[in-house]
Amino acid sequence: HISADYQNFEMDSVEGIRDFVAANPTLCGFNVTIPFKTDIIQYLDRLDETAAAIGAVNTVKVIRTDGRTELVGYNTDWIGFTQSVRPLAEGHSKALILGTGGAAKAVSYALGKLGIENRFVSRNSSFDVMGYYELSPSVMDDYDMVVNCTPVGMWPDVSQRPDIPYSFLSDRHLLFDVIANPEETQFMAKGKQYGATVKGGKEMLELQANAAWKIWNE
């Protein structure tokens, strides 16, 4: 019973985002998904404090006043993740974040707020990013939470899973997948085989959407 419309707009790039907004005069806001959560920033007028700290935007508010249009960037991914993971996070102190994109940045920020030390893991390692090849038994034992922030395993490629050493998992581990479709990814299913607690991204998606809705209607 909400008098509103939420549409999907497929875009090859975000370069023309301001022309897109101008061509849709009734648009009051939009979400940004993979792979544009960092690219979008250069085309916005300003960011809220949290989005600036995270370095990624998934929610934009369109403010039209006196013929001028202002695009303001926010991040609600961290809110959705925090609210979704908090009931399971107690007792966990260190987390591995698979991926380094916009979702990974939001998750890192959220984990920091929860007091959980975290490291990024990527195929391309660097000084502050671990490589998958570094995930030894001792590392996996030390980090008892693993968060998948890559699109690996997302529909339609549901048979795929991140290349971590699942055999080093135990019932001490929590595996969280930010992917919402499918509801149980291969990352989660494999973790369950080794006794890990698992959770998918559907609730996170809903919670971040609620937060975005509040921003658009403030």
Side-chain angles (χ1 to χ4, degrees), residues 81-82 84-98 107 111 114 116 140-148 164 166 168-177 187-188 191-192 194-200:
F81 176 76
T82 299
S84 186
V85 81
R86 183 181 278 127
L88 303 172
E90 187 175 349
H92 294 276
S93 59
K94 299 178 77 171
L96 297 172
I97 301 172
L98 310 182
V107 165
L111 289 171
L114 290 170
I116 297 174
M140 296 301 292
D141 185 61
D142 198 26
Y143 289 83
D144 55 10
M145 184 188 300
V146 186
V147 185
N148 178 38
I164 67 168
Y166 294 89
F168 300 157
L169 297 173
S170 70
D171 58 6
R172 293 178 46 251
H173 285 86
L174 167 63
L175 268 58
F176 191 107
D177 202 328
F187 170 75
M188 296 163 61
K192 283 167 68 174
Y194 291 93
T197 300
V198 304
K199 187 165 188 177

Side-chain angles (χ1 to χ4, degrees), residues 75-173:
N75 192 298
T76 63
D77 279 336
W78 84 274
I79 298 172
F81 176 76
T82 299
Q83 294 176 353
S84 186
V85 81
R86 183 181 278 127
L88 303 172
E90 187 175 349
H92 294 276
S93 59
K94 299 178 77 171
L96 297 172
I97 301 172
L98 310 182
T100 57
K105 291 176 179 178
V107 165
S108 178
Y109 180 87
L111 289 171
K113 289 291 185 181
L114 290 170
I116 297 174
E117 181 184 333
N118 56 89
R119 291 283 305 274
F120 293 112
V121 181
S122 175
R123 288 171 297 178
N124 302 310
S125 60
S126 63
F127 175 73
D128 56 351
V129 178
M130 297 177 70
Y132 281 90
Y133 66 90
E134 296 180 74
L135 302 182
S136 64
S138 61
V139 169
M140 296 301 292
D141 185 61
D142 198 26
Y143 289 83
D144 55 10
M145 184 188 300
V146 186
V147 185
N148 178 38
C149 295
T150 77
V152 178
M154 183 185 292
W155 186 89
D157 297 320
V158 296
S159 64
Q160 304 298 312
R161 61 174 183 260
D163 188 21
I164 67 168
Y166 294 89
S167 61
F168 300 157
L169 297 173
S170 70
D171 58 6
R172 293 178 46 251
H173 285 86

Side-chain angles (χ1 to χ4, degrees), residues 7 21 36 47 59 80-82 90 171-172 202:
Q7 299 179 16
V21 171
F36 302 129
L47 304 181
T59 300
F81 176 76
T82 299
E90 187 175 349
D171 58 6
R172 293 178 46 251
K202 185 181 179 185

Side-chain angles (χ1 to χ4, degrees), residues 60 65 116 181 201 214:
V60 177
T65 51
I116 297 174
N181 184 14
K214 289 179 182 176

